[in-house]
Amino acid sequence: MKQVELLAPAGDLERLKVTLLYGADAVYVGGSKLGLRANATNFTLEELKEGCTFAHKLGKKVYVTVNIVFHEEDRNDFEEYMKDLVACGIDAVIVSDPYVVEYMVKHYKEVEVHLSTQTSTLNVKAAMFYKELGVKRIVLARELSKEEIKEIIDKTKLDIEVFIHGAMCTCFSGRCALSNYVTNRDANRGGCAQVCRFAFETEDEHKFTMATKDLCMAPFIPDLIEIGVRSFKIEGRMRSLYYLATVVSSYRALIDAYYHHTLDETFKKKHIDILNRVANREVSSQYFFHEADDTDQYYTGRQEISNQDYLGLITGYEEEKKELKLVERNYFKVGDEVEVFTPSGDIYPITISTIYDEDHNSIPVARHPEQVLFIPFIHEVESYSMMRLIRRTK
């Protein structure tokens, strides 16, 4: 059985490396233009080439988004830009415009064409239309049930990709104009201002919000694999290194456990708890089992609290002293229960016994983000390992 692909976002070169090291099989990134995350850092051609080289050495893939809704002006220099992208070694382009589909199929047969969720593909006929144009994979609209996804897979035999984790659109995915009207930023050309998450004033001076809860399909990994989904997509090209490492590693563990026949409820709950802690919004399965309703939405009174579990990025190991070297991200202190987790999947729980500053003075509390610190630790771990909070002492 060919295993399902785990596909993760990468807003820059460091995020690309972290997501691949933590278990993603492929990453999707934005180039310097024509993508839907214009406010992300995105990739220069030199960075994209380096990213492709890094991924391919690991036997992994890089997909580039070219999925804006094209106006005529967007076609300026388009052919030269695509030539440059292909020369970097990309494995696929994620597109939404039929013109781009046709152009890539005709001129670059070595690069797969994946149809973006921006096209809102919801039925067999639409999927077959794009298959006949030469599309190899379709990223289905988020607004589909389990039965509808299975029907498209069974009847088209296409390589189907679905979102499994992250933010949802309040409006129908790929069809939102709220940002255009409220902020004059075109959501379908990379400028979405996420107006659906604004708090609006009402006549009675209350706040009204209409934001959608995040998607989380972690409890339903077997369902998705067994109906034939080929790629699991995580949303979040603008998310932090910690968020990406945590989400990717948890889904990697869940997928691997399924194939190894070890995915029991205890293991599943452990990783769902980890995923719930890294997010700052509630989650649901959205349309998978029923039409999304008020239980899948926020209205008034929601709170989005910044996550403080990420304590530090580990940058080295002092073998003689048996100490971790890390760069602090959030407050922690002696006595806190923490765990170190690694790209290879190892997790080490410890209680902080001592904290040393850069001059090796013992300090009781770490309270300065970006400070270099040392923690006694008996295991040598690889770069990009991280430390997170389990339980705070009073």
Side-chain angles (χ1 to χ4, degrees), residues 228-285:
V229 173
R230 289 297 316 123
S231 180
F232 290 171
K233 188 170 195 169
I234 296 167
E235 179 275 336
R237 269 186 281 158
M238 297 175 74
R239 298 281 195 166
S240 70
L241 286 179
Y242 173 66
Y243 177 91
L244 292 171
T246 303
V247 172
V248 169
S249 61
S250 284
Y251 276 103
R252 178 80 273 154
L254 291 167
I255 292 166
D256 290 348
Y258 171 83
Y259 286 110
H260 295 149
H261 308 291
T262 58
L263 185 56
D264 59 24
E265 290 304 312
T266 300
F267 188 85
K268 192 185 295 185
K269 183 181 184 304
K270 170 188 172 182
H271 285 282
I272 290 171
D273 288 345
I274 290 171
L275 291 168
N276 287 339
R277 283 180 68 94
V278 78
N280 64 348
R281 290 194 284 265
E282 293 180 48
V283 298
S284 85
S285 58

Short mmCIF file of all heavy atoms in Angstrom, two decimals, residues 228-285:
data_model
loop_
_atom_site.label_atom_id
_atom_site.label_comp_id
_atom_site.label_asym_id
_atom_site.label_seq_id
_atom_site.Cartn_x
_atom_site.Cartn_y
_atom_site.Cartn_z
N GLY A 228 -9.26 6.71 0.55
CA GLY A 228 -8.35 6.86 -0.59
C GLY A 228 -7.72 8.21 -0.79
O GLY A 228 -7.14 8.47 -1.85
N VAL A 229 -7.79 9.10 0.20
CA VAL A 229 -7.10 10.39 0.08
C VAL A 229 -5.60 10.16 -0.05
O VAL A 229 -5.02 9.35 0.68
CB VAL A 229 -7.41 11.29 1.31
CG1 VAL A 229 -6.57 12.56 1.26
CG2 VAL A 229 -8.89 11.62 1.36
N ARG A 230 -4.95 10.87 -0.97
CA ARG A 230 -3.54 10.63 -1.24
C ARG A 230 -2.60 11.61 -0.53
O ARG A 230 -1.43 11.35 -0.35
CB ARG A 230 -3.27 10.72 -2.76
CG ARG A 230 -3.85 9.57 -3.54
CD ARG A 230 -3.27 8.20 -3.17
NE ARG A 230 -1.84 8.22 -3.04
CZ ARG A 230 -1.18 7.85 -1.96
NH1 ARG A 230 -1.84 7.40 -0.89
NH2 ARG A 230 0.12 7.89 -1.92
N SER A 231 -3.11 12.81 -0.19
CA SER A 231 -2.23 13.80 0.44
C SER A 231 -3.00 14.55 1.51
O SER A 231 -4.13 15.00 1.28
CB SER A 231 -1.69 14.78 -0.61
OG SER A 231 -0.84 15.73 -0.01
N PHE A 232 -2.37 14.67 2.69
CA PHE A 232 -2.93 15.42 3.82
C PHE A 232 -2.23 16.77 3.89
O PHE A 232 -1.02 16.83 4.09
CB PHE A 232 -2.69 14.69 5.13
CG PHE A 232 -3.48 13.42 5.30
CD1 PHE A 232 -3.20 12.57 6.37
CD2 PHE A 232 -4.51 13.07 4.43
CE1 PHE A 232 -3.93 11.41 6.57
CE2 PHE A 232 -5.23 11.91 4.62
CZ PHE A 232 -4.94 11.07 5.69
N LYS A 233 -2.99 17.84 3.80
CA LYS A 233 -2.41 19.18 3.73
C LYS A 233 -2.65 19.96 5.03
O LYS A 233 -3.79 20.07 5.50
CB LYS A 233 -3.02 19.94 2.55
CG LYS A 233 -2.36 21.28 2.25
CD LYS A 233 -2.88 21.81 0.93
CE LYS A 233 -1.99 22.93 0.40
NZ LYS A 233 -2.34 23.26 -0.99
N ILE A 234 -1.59 20.52 5.57
CA ILE A 234 -1.64 21.37 6.75
C ILE A 234 -1.62 22.82 6.29
O ILE A 234 -0.81 23.19 5.44
CB ILE A 234 -0.46 21.08 7.69
CG1 ILE A 234 -0.55 19.64 8.22
CG2 ILE A 234 -0.41 22.07 8.85
CD1 ILE A 234 0.73 19.16 8.90
N GLU A 235 -2.50 23.65 6.85
CA GLU A 235 -2.54 25.07 6.50
C GLU A 235 -1.58 25.85 7.39
O GLU A 235 -1.35 25.48 8.53
CB GLU A 235 -3.98 25.58 6.69
CG GLU A 235 -4.18 27.07 6.39
CD GLU A 235 -3.86 27.99 7.55
OE1 GLU A 235 -3.91 27.55 8.72
OE2 GLU A 235 -3.53 29.16 7.29
N GLY A 236 -1.00 26.96 6.87
CA GLY A 236 -0.25 27.83 7.77
C GLY A 236 1.12 28.28 7.34
O GLY A 236 2.08 28.11 8.09
N ARG A 237 1.26 28.88 6.15
CA ARG A 237 2.58 29.33 5.71
C ARG A 237 3.13 30.48 6.56
O ARG A 237 4.32 30.77 6.50
CB ARG A 237 2.54 29.75 4.24
CG ARG A 237 2.86 28.61 3.30
CD ARG A 237 2.96 29.07 1.87
NE ARG A 237 1.66 29.26 1.27
CZ ARG A 237 1.43 30.02 0.22
NH1 ARG A 237 2.41 30.70 -0.32
NH2 ARG A 237 0.23 30.12 -0.29
N MET A 238 2.28 31.13 7.34
CA MET A 238 2.75 32.25 8.17
C MET A 238 2.85 31.85 9.65
O MET A 238 3.04 32.70 10.52
CB MET A 238 1.83 33.45 7.99
CG MET A 238 1.84 33.96 6.55
SD MET A 238 0.69 35.30 6.22
CE MET A 238 1.53 36.66 7.04
N ARG A 239 2.74 30.56 9.95
CA ARG A 239 2.83 30.08 11.32
C ARG A 239 4.28 29.99 11.78
O ARG A 239 5.21 29.95 10.98
CB ARG A 239 2.19 28.70 11.43
CG ARG A 239 0.72 28.67 11.09
CD ARG A 239 -0.15 29.15 12.23
NE ARG A 239 -1.54 28.80 12.03
CZ ARG A 239 -2.47 28.85 12.97
NH1 ARG A 239 -2.16 29.26 14.17
NH2 ARG A 239 -3.72 28.50 12.70
N SER A 240 4.47 29.89 13.12
CA SER A 240 5.81 29.86 13.71
C SER A 240 6.49 28.51 13.50
O SER A 240 5.84 27.50 13.21
CB SER A 240 5.71 30.14 15.21
OG SER A 240 5.10 29.04 15.87
N LEU A 241 7.80 28.50 13.72
CA LEU A 241 8.56 27.25 13.66
C LEU A 241 8.02 26.24 14.66
O LEU A 241 7.88 25.05 14.35
CB LEU A 241 10.05 27.51 13.98
CG LEU A 241 10.91 28.19 12.93
CD1 LEU A 241 12.31 28.37 13.49
CD2 LEU A 241 10.95 27.40 11.64
N TYR A 242 7.71 26.71 15.86
CA TYR A 242 7.21 25.81 16.90
C TYR A 242 5.87 25.19 16.49
O TYR A 242 5.66 23.99 16.65
CB TYR A 242 7.06 26.56 18.22
CG TYR A 242 6.38 25.75 19.30
CD1 TYR A 242 6.99 24.61 19.81
CD2 TYR A 242 5.13 26.11 19.80
CE1 TYR A 242 6.37 23.85 20.80
CE2 TYR A 242 4.51 25.36 20.78
CZ TYR A 242 5.13 24.23 21.28
OH TYR A 242 4.51 23.48 22.24
N TYR A 243 4.97 26.02 15.99
CA TYR A 243 3.66 25.51 15.56
C TYR A 243 3.85 24.45 14.48
O TYR A 243 3.26 23.36 14.55
CB TYR A 243 2.82 26.66 15.01
CG TYR A 243 1.47 26.23 14.47
CD1 TYR A 243 0.35 26.21 15.29
CD2 TYR A 243 1.32 25.85 13.14
CE1 TYR A 243 -0.89 25.81 14.80
CE2 TYR A 243 0.09 25.45 12.64
CZ TYR A 243 -1.01 25.44 13.47
OH TYR A 243 -2.22 25.03 12.97
N LEU A 244 4.66 24.73 13.48
CA LEU A 244 4.85 23.79 12.38
C LEU A 244 5.50 22.50 12.86
O LEU A 244 5.06 21.40 12.50
CB LEU A 244 5.70 24.43 11.28
CG LEU A 244 5.02 25.59 10.54
CD1 LEU A 244 6.03 26.28 9.63
CD2 LEU A 244 3.83 25.11 9.74
N ALA A 245 6.54 22.61 13.69
CA ALA A 245 7.22 21.42 14.19
C ALA A 245 6.26 20.56 15.00
O ALA A 245 6.24 19.32 14.87
CB ALA A 245 8.42 21.81 15.04
N THR A 246 5.44 21.19 15.84
CA THR A 246 4.51 20.45 16.69
C THR A 246 3.42 19.77 15.87
O THR A 246 3.14 18.57 16.05
CB THR A 246 3.86 21.40 17.71
OG1 THR A 246 4.89 22.03 18.48
CG2 THR A 246 2.94 20.64 18.64
N VAL A 247 2.80 20.51 14.97
CA VAL A 247 1.70 19.95 14.18
C VAL A 247 2.21 18.86 13.24
O VAL A 247 1.61 17.78 13.15
CB VAL A 247 0.98 21.07 13.40
CG1 VAL A 247 -0.05 20.48 12.43
CG2 VAL A 247 0.29 22.03 14.37
N VAL A 248 3.30 19.13 12.54
CA VAL A 248 3.84 18.13 11.60
C VAL A 248 4.24 16.86 12.34
O VAL A 248 3.93 15.74 11.91
CB VAL A 248 5.02 18.71 10.81
CG1 VAL A 248 5.75 17.62 10.03
CG2 VAL A 248 4.54 19.79 9.84
N SER A 249 4.94 17.00 13.47
CA SER A 249 5.41 15.81 14.19
C SER A 249 4.25 14.99 14.73
O SER A 249 4.30 13.75 14.74
CB SER A 249 6.38 16.19 15.31
OG SER A 249 5.76 17.03 16.26
N SER A 250 3.19 15.64 15.17
CA SER A 250 2.03 14.90 15.69
C SER A 250 1.31 14.14 14.57
O SER A 250 0.96 12.97 14.73
CB SER A 250 1.06 15.85 16.40
OG SER A 250 1.57 16.19 17.66
N TYR A 251 1.10 14.79 13.44
CA TYR A 251 0.46 14.09 12.34
C TYR A 251 1.35 12.99 11.77
O TYR A 251 0.87 11.93 11.37
CB TYR A 251 0.02 15.07 11.24
CG TYR A 251 -1.32 15.70 11.55
CD1 TYR A 251 -1.41 17.00 12.02
CD2 TYR A 251 -2.50 14.98 11.38
CE1 TYR A 251 -2.64 17.58 12.31
CE2 TYR A 251 -3.74 15.55 11.67
CZ TYR A 251 -3.80 16.85 12.13
OH TYR A 251 -5.02 17.40 12.44
N ARG A 252 2.66 13.23 11.77
CA ARG A 252 3.59 12.18 11.34
C ARG A 252 3.44 10.95 12.23
O ARG A 252 3.39 9.81 11.75
CB ARG A 252 5.02 12.70 11.40
CG ARG A 252 6.11 11.70 11.03
CD ARG A 252 6.24 11.56 9.53
NE ARG A 252 5.34 10.57 8.98
CZ ARG A 252 4.90 10.61 7.72
NH1 ARG A 252 5.25 11.57 6.90
NH2 ARG A 252 4.09 9.67 7.29
N ALA A 253 3.38 11.19 13.53
CA ALA A 253 3.25 10.08 14.49
C ALA A 253 1.92 9.34 14.30
O ALA A 253 1.87 8.10 14.33
CB ALA A 253 3.36 10.61 15.92
N LEU A 254 0.83 10.08 14.09
CA LEU A 254 -0.48 9.46 13.90
C LEU A 254 -0.54 8.64 12.62
O LEU A 254 -1.06 7.51 12.61
CB LEU A 254 -1.56 10.55 13.89
CG LEU A 254 -1.82 11.26 15.22
CD1 LEU A 254 -2.65 12.51 15.00
CD2 LEU A 254 -2.50 10.32 16.21
N ILE A 255 0.01 9.17 11.54
CA ILE A 255 0.01 8.45 10.26
C ILE A 255 0.85 7.18 10.37
O ILE A 255 0.42 6.10 9.95
CB ILE A 255 0.52 9.37 9.14
CG1 ILE A 255 -0.48 10.50 8.87
CG2 ILE A 255 0.77 8.57 7.86
CD1 ILE A 255 0.07 11.62 8.02
N ASP A 256 2.05 7.31 10.93
CA ASP A 256 2.93 6.15 11.05
C ASP A 256 2.30 5.08 11.94
O ASP A 256 2.39 3.88 11.66
CB ASP A 256 4.29 6.57 11.60
CG ASP A 256 5.10 7.38 10.60
OD1 ASP A 256 4.71 7.43 9.42
OD2 ASP A 256 6.12 7.97 11.01
N ALA A 257 1.66 5.50 13.02
CA ALA A 257 1.01 4.54 13.91
C ALA A 257 -0.11 3.79 13.20
O ALA A 257 -0.31 2.59 13.42
CB ALA A 257 0.47 5.25 15.15
N TYR A 258 -0.82 4.47 12.33
CA TYR A 258 -1.89 3.80 11.56
C TYR A 258 -1.29 2.67 10.71
O TYR A 258 -1.80 1.54 10.73
CB TYR A 258 -2.61 4.80 10.66
CG TYR A 258 -3.56 4.11 9.69
CD1 TYR A 258 -4.85 3.75 10.08
CD2 TYR A 258 -3.15 3.78 8.40
CE1 TYR A 258 -5.71 3.09 9.21
CE2 TYR A 258 -4.00 3.12 7.52
CZ TYR A 258 -5.27 2.78 7.94
OH TYR A 258 -6.11 2.11 7.07
N TYR A 259 -0.23 2.98 9.99
CA TYR A 259 0.36 1.97 9.10
C TYR A 259 1.06 0.85 9.87
O TYR A 259 1.19 -0.27 9.37
CB TYR A 259 1.32 2.62 8.11
CG TYR A 259 0.61 3.40 7.02
CD1 TYR A 259 0.66 4.79 6.98
CD2 TYR A 259 -0.12 2.75 6.03
CE1 TYR A 259 0.01 5.51 5.99
CE2 TYR A 259 -0.78 3.45 5.04
CZ TYR A 259 -0.72 4.83 5.02
OH TYR A 259 -1.38 5.53 4.04
N HIS A 260 1.50 1.16 11.09
CA HIS A 260 2.15 0.13 11.93
C HIS A 260 1.15 -0.61 12.81
O HIS A 260 1.54 -1.41 13.65
CB HIS A 260 3.23 0.78 12.79
CG HIS A 260 4.37 1.35 12.00
ND1 HIS A 260 5.08 2.45 12.42
CD2 HIS A 260 4.90 0.98 10.81
CE1 HIS A 260 6.01 2.74 11.52
NE2 HIS A 260 5.92 1.86 10.54
N HIS A 261 -0.14 -0.28 12.66
CA HIS A 261 -1.23 -0.93 13.42
C HIS A 261 -1.09 -0.71 14.93
O HIS A 261 -1.38 -1.58 15.74
CB HIS A 261 -1.27 -2.44 13.12
CG HIS A 261 -1.33 -2.75 11.66
ND1 HIS A 261 -2.44 -2.48 10.88
CD2 HIS A 261 -0.40 -3.27 10.81
CE1 HIS A 261 -2.21 -2.83 9.62
NE2 HIS A 261 -0.97 -3.31 9.56
N THR A 262 -0.62 0.49 15.30
CA THR A 262 -0.46 0.83 16.72
C THR A 262 -1.27 2.07 17.10
O THR A 262 -1.04 2.66 18.17
CB THR A 262 1.02 1.07 17.07
OG1 THR A 262 1.54 2.11 16.24
CG2 THR A 262 1.83 -0.21 16.88
N LEU A 263 -2.20 2.47 16.25
CA LEU A 263 -2.95 3.70 16.49
C LEU A 263 -4.15 3.41 17.39
O LEU A 263 -5.29 3.31 16.94
CB LEU A 263 -3.41 4.33 15.17
CG LEU A 263 -4.11 5.69 15.26
CD1 LEU A 263 -3.24 6.70 15.97
CD2 LEU A 263 -4.48 6.19 13.87
N ASP A 264 -3.89 3.30 18.70
CA ASP A 264 -4.98 3.08 19.63
C ASP A 264 -5.48 4.42 20.17
O ASP A 264 -4.92 5.49 19.89
CB ASP A 264 -4.56 2.14 20.76
CG ASP A 264 -3.37 2.66 21.56
OD1 ASP A 264 -3.13 3.90 21.58
OD2 ASP A 264 -2.67 1.84 22.18
N GLU A 265 -6.53 4.40 20.98
CA GLU A 265 -7.15 5.63 21.46
C GLU A 265 -6.23 6.41 22.39
O GLU A 265 -6.26 7.64 22.41
CB GLU A 265 -8.48 5.30 22.17
CG GLU A 265 -9.57 4.85 21.24
CD GLU A 265 -9.85 5.86 20.12
OE1 GLU A 265 -9.98 7.06 20.44
OE2 GLU A 265 -9.92 5.45 18.94
N THR A 266 -5.41 5.71 23.17
CA THR A 266 -4.49 6.40 24.08
C THR A 266 -3.46 7.21 23.30
O THR A 266 -3.18 8.38 23.62
CB THR A 266 -3.77 5.38 24.99
OG1 THR A 266 -4.74 4.67 25.75
CG2 THR A 266 -2.80 6.08 25.93
N PHE A 267 -2.89 6.58 22.27
CA PHE A 267 -1.90 7.27 21.43
C PHE A 267 -2.54 8.46 20.71
O PHE A 267 -1.97 9.54 20.62
CB PHE A 267 -1.32 6.28 20.42
CG PHE A 267 -0.16 6.81 19.63
CD1 PHE A 267 1.12 6.76 20.14
CD2 PHE A 267 -0.35 7.38 18.38
CE1 PHE A 267 2.21 7.26 19.42
CE2 PHE A 267 0.72 7.88 17.64
CZ PHE A 267 2.01 7.81 18.17
N LYS A 268 -3.74 8.24 20.20
CA LYS A 268 -4.45 9.30 19.48
C LYS A 268 -4.73 10.48 20.41
O LYS A 268 -4.50 11.64 20.04
CB LYS A 268 -5.75 8.74 18.91
CG LYS A 268 -6.44 9.65 17.91
CD LYS A 268 -7.79 9.09 17.48
CE LYS A 268 -7.63 7.79 16.72
NZ LYS A 268 -8.97 7.33 16.21
N LYS A 269 -5.21 10.19 21.62
CA LYS A 269 -5.53 11.26 22.56
C LYS A 269 -4.29 12.07 22.94
O LYS A 269 -4.36 13.31 23.06
CB LYS A 269 -6.17 10.68 23.83
CG LYS A 269 -6.60 11.75 24.84
CD LYS A 269 -7.19 11.14 26.08
CE LYS A 269 -7.69 12.24 27.04
NZ LYS A 269 -6.64 13.21 27.39
N LYS A 270 -3.17 11.39 23.11
CA LYS A 270 -1.93 12.09 23.45
C LYS A 270 -1.61 13.17 22.42
O LYS A 270 -1.29 14.32 22.77
CB LYS A 270 -0.78 11.07 23.53
CG LYS A 270 0.60 11.69 23.65
CD LYS A 270 1.67 10.63 23.52
CE LYS A 270 3.06 11.26 23.43
NZ LYS A 270 4.12 10.23 23.25
N HIS A 271 -1.70 12.82 21.14
CA HIS A 271 -1.33 13.78 20.10
C HIS A 271 -2.42 14.81 19.84
O HIS A 271 -2.11 15.95 19.47
CB HIS A 271 -0.92 13.04 18.83
CG HIS A 271 0.43 12.43 18.94
ND1 HIS A 271 1.59 13.17 18.82
CD2 HIS A 271 0.82 11.16 19.22
CE1 HIS A 271 2.63 12.39 19.00
NE2 HIS A 271 2.20 11.17 19.24
N ILE A 272 -3.66 14.46 20.06
CA ILE A 272 -4.72 15.46 19.96
C ILE A 272 -4.55 16.51 21.05
O ILE A 272 -4.74 17.71 20.81
CB ILE A 272 -6.11 14.78 20.03
CG1 ILE A 272 -6.35 13.97 18.75
CG2 ILE A 272 -7.21 15.82 20.20
CD1 ILE A 272 -7.57 13.09 18.80
N ASP A 273 -4.17 16.07 22.24
CA ASP A 273 -3.91 17.02 23.33
C ASP A 273 -2.76 17.98 22.98
O ASP A 273 -2.82 19.18 23.26
CB ASP A 273 -3.58 16.27 24.63
CG ASP A 273 -4.80 15.60 25.24
OD1 ASP A 273 -5.93 15.93 24.84
OD2 ASP A 273 -4.61 14.72 26.11
N ILE A 274 -1.71 17.44 22.36
CA ILE A 274 -0.59 18.28 21.93
C ILE A 274 -1.05 19.30 20.90
O ILE A 274 -0.72 20.49 20.97
CB ILE A 274 0.55 17.40 21.36
CG1 ILE A 274 1.22 16.60 22.48
CG2 ILE A 274 1.59 18.27 20.65
CD1 ILE A 274 2.20 15.56 21.98
N LEU A 275 -1.85 18.86 19.93
CA LEU A 275 -2.35 19.75 18.90
C LEU A 275 -3.26 20.83 19.49
O LEU A 275 -3.21 21.99 19.06
CB LEU A 275 -3.11 18.95 17.83
CG LEU A 275 -2.24 18.05 16.96
CD1 LEU A 275 -3.12 17.10 16.15
CD2 LEU A 275 -1.34 18.86 16.03
N ASN A 276 -4.07 20.45 20.45
CA ASN A 276 -4.96 21.43 21.07
C ASN A 276 -4.19 22.50 21.84
O ASN A 276 -4.60 23.66 21.89
CB ASN A 276 -5.95 20.73 22.01
CG ASN A 276 -7.02 19.96 21.26
OD1 ASN A 276 -7.29 20.23 20.09
ND2 ASN A 276 -7.63 18.99 21.92
N ARG A 277 -3.06 22.12 22.42
CA ARG A 277 -2.27 23.09 23.20
C ARG A 277 -1.53 24.08 22.31
O ARG A 277 -1.32 25.23 22.70
CB ARG A 277 -1.27 22.36 24.10
CG ARG A 277 -1.89 21.75 25.34
CD ARG A 277 -0.83 21.06 26.19
NE ARG A 277 0.11 22.01 26.77
CZ ARG A 277 0.00 22.54 27.98
NH1 ARG A 277 -1.04 22.23 28.73
NH2 ARG A 277 0.89 23.38 28.45
N VAL A 278 -1.14 23.66 21.12
CA VAL A 278 -0.36 24.56 20.26
C VAL A 278 -1.24 25.58 19.56
O VAL A 278 -0.77 26.63 19.12
CB VAL A 278 0.46 23.76 19.23
CG1 VAL A 278 -0.40 23.27 18.06
CG2 VAL A 278 1.62 24.60 18.68
N ALA A 279 -2.54 25.32 19.45
CA ALA A 279 -3.46 26.22 18.77
C ALA A 279 -4.00 27.26 19.74
O ALA A 279 -4.01 27.07 20.95
CB ALA A 279 -4.61 25.43 18.15
N ASN A 280 -4.46 28.40 19.19
CA ASN A 280 -5.11 29.39 20.05
C ASN A 280 -6.59 29.55 19.71
O ASN A 280 -7.23 30.49 20.14
CB ASN A 280 -4.39 30.75 19.95
CG ASN A 280 -4.47 31.36 18.57
OD1 ASN A 280 -4.87 30.71 17.62
ND2 ASN A 280 -4.09 32.62 18.46
N ARG A 281 -7.13 28.63 18.92
CA ARG A 281 -8.56 28.62 18.61
C ARG A 281 -9.10 27.21 18.80
O ARG A 281 -8.37 26.23 18.71
CB ARG A 281 -8.80 29.07 17.16
CG ARG A 281 -8.53 30.54 16.92
CD ARG A 281 -9.11 31.01 15.59
NE ARG A 281 -8.32 30.57 14.46
CZ ARG A 281 -7.37 31.31 13.87
NH1 ARG A 281 -7.09 32.51 14.34
NH2 ARG A 281 -6.71 30.85 12.84
N GLU A 282 -10.40 27.14 19.04
CA GLU A 282 -11.05 25.84 19.12
C GLU A 282 -11.06 25.19 17.74
O GLU A 282 -10.88 25.86 16.72
CB GLU A 282 -12.48 26.00 19.63
CG GLU A 282 -12.58 26.46 21.07
CD GLU A 282 -14.03 26.61 21.49
OE1 GLU A 282 -14.84 25.68 21.24
OE2 GLU A 282 -14.37 27.66 22.06
N VAL A 283 -11.29 23.87 17.71
CA VAL A 283 -11.24 23.14 16.45
C VAL A 283 -12.50 22.29 16.27
O VAL A 283 -13.23 22.02 17.22
CB VAL A 283 -10.00 22.22 16.37
CG1 VAL A 283 -8.72 23.02 16.44
CG2 VAL A 283 -10.04 21.16 17.49
N SER A 284 -12.73 21.89 15.02
CA SER A 284 -13.82 20.95 14.72
C SER A 284 -13.44 20.20 13.44
O SER A 284 -12.43 20.51 12.79
CB SER A 284 -15.15 21.68 14.54
OG SER A 284 -15.29 22.17 13.22
N SER A 285 -14.27 19.23 13.06
CA SER A 285 -14.06 18.50 11.81
C SER A 285 -14.82 19.15 10.66
O SER A 285 -14.81 18.65 9.54
CB SER A 285 -14.50 17.04 11.96
OG SER A 285 -15.87 16.98 12.33
#
